[in-house]
């Protein structure tokens, strides 16, 4: 009987920013993926005297790294009594998405990240800084972009795995890149972002490069790393949906503090009011305004329907939490 490798992937309990963990299970072909245990005392998810935690497969795709019949298996973490672990934000996202499933929420997430070579961004000089920002965004040439082979390999891997990757581009700070996933519903958007992150980390290993989600990787006059979240409901996408988009912006404004507090650690380092951000303690929305908390794309205003872009989430934010908050805030207001 033939075998394949199942890479069980999960999100740990590290605070304030969770890490990704994974381990390999050898499976017989045709065998159902089982629950599997792990040592939660080594992942900030359990004390040593009661260390067992449970992995439950929830999202299975082809493994583009190992190829063949091998699989990537994203899991939710449960306690041994099969209640969701406190770190299991997917369970909360699932509940909210089901509650408001009639709104048919869609997400498109833009995941920025920064490549590091040891202690410095990839391609940066050992002493000092590269030329100021200006030519790096969507740039081309060895003096403008760093890490493209990893980015290309990651994009190909996401496609081979069946993820809804929509594009890639070099970002404003050198060694910073972005990939986009969507449009996808919830909690699927979180599944795909987390697996795409795992693939990014794993593929970058082969070049001995670190891919990081630090929101402000270099202090000073350099862009931070965000995870801009594009969001729409069925009502917003239909003809005449512009009023629903404005109402969603107003609802997000009323809940602004809750969102910012849950949009990723050290968000105040990135949301300064400079470098295409609004300040973390101020809420605003506007058409085509990249300095606002929420941007309404110009084409949306022309079409009078479409989506909004929440520019506040950090690169290190949890997409399950972001999706849950967006759905809860916007859809609860629309339902009232």
């Amino acid at each position: 009987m033939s075998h394949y490798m199942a890479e069980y992937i999960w999100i740990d309990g590290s605070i304030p920013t969770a890490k990704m963990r994974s381990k390999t299970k050898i499976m017989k072909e045709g065998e159902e993926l089982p629950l599997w245990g792990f040592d939660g005392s080594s992942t900030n998810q359990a004390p040593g005297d009661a260390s067992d935690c449970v992995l439950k497969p929830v999202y299975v795709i082809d493994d583009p790294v190992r190829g063949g019949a091998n699989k990537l298996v994203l899991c939710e973490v449960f306690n041994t009594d099969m209640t969701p672990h406190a770190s299991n934000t997917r369970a909360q996202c699932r509940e909210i998405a089901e509650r408001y499933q009639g709104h048919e929420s869609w997400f498109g997430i833009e995941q920025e990240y920064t490549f590091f070579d040891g202690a410095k961004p990839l391609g940066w000089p050992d002493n000092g800084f590269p030329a100021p920002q200006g030519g790096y965004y969507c740039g081309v040439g060895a003096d403008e972009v760093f890490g493209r082979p990893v980015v290309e390999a990651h994009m190909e891997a996401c496609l081979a795995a069946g993820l809804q990757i929509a594009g890639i581009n070099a970002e404003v700070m050198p060694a910073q890149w972005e990939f986009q996933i969507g449009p996808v519903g919830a909690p699927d958007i979180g599944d795909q972002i987390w697996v795409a992150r795992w693939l990014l980390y794993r593929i970058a290993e082969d070049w001995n490069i670190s891919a990081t989600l630090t929101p402000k990787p270099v202090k000073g006059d350099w862009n931070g790393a965000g995870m801009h979240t594009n969001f729409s409901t069925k009502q917003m996408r239909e003809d005449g949906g512009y009023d629903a988009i404005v109402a969603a912006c107003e609802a997000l404004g009323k809940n602004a503090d809750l969102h910012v507090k849950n949009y990723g650690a050290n968000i105040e380092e990135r949301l300064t009011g400079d470098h295409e951000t609004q300040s973390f303690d101020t809420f605003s929305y506007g058409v085509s305004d990249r300095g606002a908390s929420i941007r309404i794309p110009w084409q949306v205003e022309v079409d009078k329907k479409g989506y909004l872009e929440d520019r506040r989430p950090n690169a290190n934010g949890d997409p399950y939490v972001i999706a849950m908050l967006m759905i809860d805030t916007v859809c609860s207001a629309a339902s009232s």
Side-chain angles (χ1 to χ4, degrees), residues 228 230 242 249 270-271 273-279 282-301 307-312:
H228 301 155
N230 301 285
Y242 195 74
C249 292
R270 178 178 145 264
L271 297 186
D274 295 322
H275 304 108
E276 300 179 281
T277 70
Q278 176 58 278
S279 178
T282 303
F283 180 85
S284 64
Y285 66 91
V287 175
S288 203
D289 186 356
R290 282 181 163 77
S293 310
I294 308 289
R295 178 180 72 95
I296 300 172
W298 69 272
Q299 191 65 47
V300 170
E301 186 186 40
Y307 66 97
L308 59 83
E309 178 196 38
D310 191 338
R311 298 181 57 79
R312 297 170 296 172

Side-chain angles (χ1 to χ4, degrees), residues 2-257:
S2 57
H3 294 73
Y4 71 94
M5 288 166 275
E7 190 71 14
Y8 276 57
I9 299 168
W10 74 97
I11 298 144
D12 77 2
S14 296
I15 294 174
T17 302
K19 294 179 178 291
M20 302 198 75
R21 311 281 183 141
S22 70
K23 60 177 182 170
T24 307
K25 191 170 189 64
I26 306 301
M27 297 289 300
K28 294 176 183 175
E29 193 173 299
E31 189 179 15
E32 185 176 348
L33 291 163
L35 300 177
W36 199 12
F38 70 95
D39 172 16
S41 69
S42 296
T43 62
N44 300 300
Q45 287 168 300
D49 60 354
S51 63
D52 287 329
C53 291
V54 180
L55 296 174
K56 180 182 179 182
V58 292
Y59 182 67
V60 182
I61 57 173
D62 293 337
D63 183 347
V65 178
R66 288 176 169 144
N70 301 302
K71 299 293 182 183
L72 299 180
V73 183
L74 184 69
C75 300
E76 284 191 29
V77 178
F78 285 80
N79 301 305
T80 52
D81 63 0
M82 292 311 295
T83 56
H85 190 273
S87 65
N88 182 352
T89 54
R90 187 184 190 275
Q92 304 164 47
C93 183
R94 241 190 313 115
E95 181 186 333
I96 294 297
E98 288 169 5
R99 184 183 306 170
Y100 294 107
Q101 61 184 344
H103 292 258
E104 296 181 30
S105 297
W106 290 359
F107 293 87
I109 286 187
E110 307 167 26
Q111 176 70 75
E112 293 179 348
Y113 59 92
T114 310
F115 284 135
F116 269 74
D117 176 11
K120 66 181 179 66
L122 183 67
W124 286 42
D126 290 331
N127 295 302
F129 296 90
Q133 294 182 161
Y136 306 109
Y137 172 71
C138 296
V140 64
D143 58 335
E144 300 282 9
V145 297
F146 311 106
R148 194 185 294 275
V150 189
V151 175
E152 293 283 333
H154 175 252
M155 177 173 61
E156 293 288 350
C158 288
L159 286 168
L163 300 179
Q164 296 295 110
I165 187 166
I168 59 168
N169 61 268
E171 267 303 332
V172 177
M173 191 183 90
Q176 198 171 81
W177 293 81
E178 170 185 299
F179 64 85
Q180 303 98 31
I181 299 261
V184 181
D188 309 59
I189 185 63
D191 298 343
Q192 295 205 27
I193 287 288
W194 277 112
V195 171
R197 286 173 172 180
W198 186 91
L199 282 168
L200 179 65
Y201 302 151
R202 172 61 189 84
I203 289 166
E205 278 183 24
D206 292 342
W207 276 268
N208 200 30
I209 291 170
S210 300
T212 75
L213 305 183
T214 306
K216 188 70 174 177
V218 181
K219 304 291 189 262
D221 196 16
W222 302 96
N223 271 40
M227 189 164 59
H228 301 155
T229 299
N230 301 285
F231 174 77
S232 68
T233 61
K234 181 181 179 183
Q235 185 182 13
M236 292 159 65
R237 295 187 295 271
E238 291 177 339
D239 288 343
Y242 195 74
D243 287 346
I245 293 169
V246 171
C249 292
E250 292 288 342
L252 288 164
K254 290 175 183 173
N255 257 6
D257 288 348

